[in-house]
Amino acid sequence: MTWQGTAEIAGTPVRLHAGGRFEPVDGRYHWAGRVEPEPRLVRLLRSGRRDVEVRIGERVTRARLTEVDPWGGVRITGVGTPPWPPEDE
């Protein structure tokens, strides 16, 4: 499943591109994505903060900032229920 759209990460409005899959090895859903360039998230990551909340509408989930990519975007990962709504909503 893939998703792209607006989200709020650590209180900052962003544009998120993400996707995920069920991992049979550990029995959990793993998702990851890229946040379009946002200087506030880059500063947050470089200051050492990695654990964040991602909000899409009323859905909120925990995630981890992982790295700044060469284009200034921030990579993000999560395990468990993704922040985007299921396809059938």
Side-chain angles (χ1 to χ4, degrees), residues 14-84:
V14 297
R15 182 113 176 114
L16 174 65
H17 304 265
R21 71 188 185 301
F22 176 76
E23 180 56 60
V25 173
D26 67 6
R28 300 188 302 172
Y29 192 83
H30 291 253
W31 60 272
R34 177 182 185 268
V35 179
E36 290 184 5
E38 171 49 64
R40 287 177 278 188
L41 286 187
V42 171
R43 283 193 302 273
L44 195 66
L45 178 59
R46 289 188 174 149
S47 76
R49 182 165 170 203
R50 294 189 178 273
D51 295 324
V52 294
E53 281 191 344
V54 179
R55 176 182 297 276
I56 298 175
E58 297 300 314
R59 298 173 66 94
V60 179
T61 193
R62 303 288 304 160
R64 185 162 179 86
L65 303 176
T66 59
E67 67 181 350
V68 178
D69 68 23
W71 304 276
V74 175
R75 304 286 179 179
I76 189 168
T77 63
V79 177
T81 304
W84 60 84

